[in-house]
Amino acid sequence: MNKIRKGDNVIVIAGKDKGKRGVVLERVSVTAMLVEGINRVKKHTKPNPAKGQAGGIIEKEMPINASNLALFNVQSNKADRVEIKRLENGRNVRVYKSNGETMAA
């Protein structure tokens, strides 16, 4: 079970966007993920008439390493670590380490 998943609210703890918050859009690889509004770059593109794309400079999100992200705890309004606990019925849940609250699914 992954500690950070698609749709989670995260905060950047290291890098040029330190302190910014966003939502995980996609998990690119085991360690990299796309976060909304984080690690934005300007990309120069050529026009492609076959696909109907106009050329120019576009801004897009690039993947950021998961080690530079932390889950954002809404109750404490801070970055928080998470652990995985197994319930009596055999289900795994993610739990915030600071206050022991289970994460909303």
Side-chain angles (χ1 to χ4, degrees):
M1 174 181 253
N2 296 321
K3 293 185 178 182
I4 299 177
R5 297 185 197 161
K6 180 179 176 179
D8 283 346
N9 206 359
V10 294
I11 187 166
V12 180
I13 57 174
K16 68 176 185 178
D17 293 326
K18 182 177 179 177
K20 290 186 181 177
R21 289 175 34 198
V23 177
V24 177
L25 300 173
E26 179 185 351
R27 192 173 188 104
V28 179
S29 70
V30 176
T31 58
M33 45 193 70
L34 284 177
V35 181
E36 181 183 17
I38 305 296
N39 201 18
R40 292 184 64 84
V41 296
K42 291 187 178 191
K43 182 170 172 58
H44 297 257
T45 58
K46 285 187 172 182
N48 189 347
K51 291 183 180 176
Q53 292 177 343
I57 302 170
I58 60 166
E59 277 201 40
K60 64 183 269 184
E61 286 99 5
M62 294 299 284
I64 187 168
N65 199 298
S67 66
N68 297 331
L69 300 173
L71 284 166
F72 186 76
N73 190 342
V74 180
Q75 287 103 5
S76 65
N77 217 21
K78 292 182 182 175
D80 206 348
R81 292 181 301 164
V82 69
E83 66 181 323
I84 297 167
K85 285 196 175 179
R86 183 179 291 271
L87 299 176
E88 294 84 28
N89 61 5
R91 224 175 107 229
N92 289 336
V93 292
R94 295 181 295 164
V95 178
Y96 289 118
K97 285 214 175 195
S98 64
N99 56 7
E101 295 280 327
T102 57
M103 291 186 63

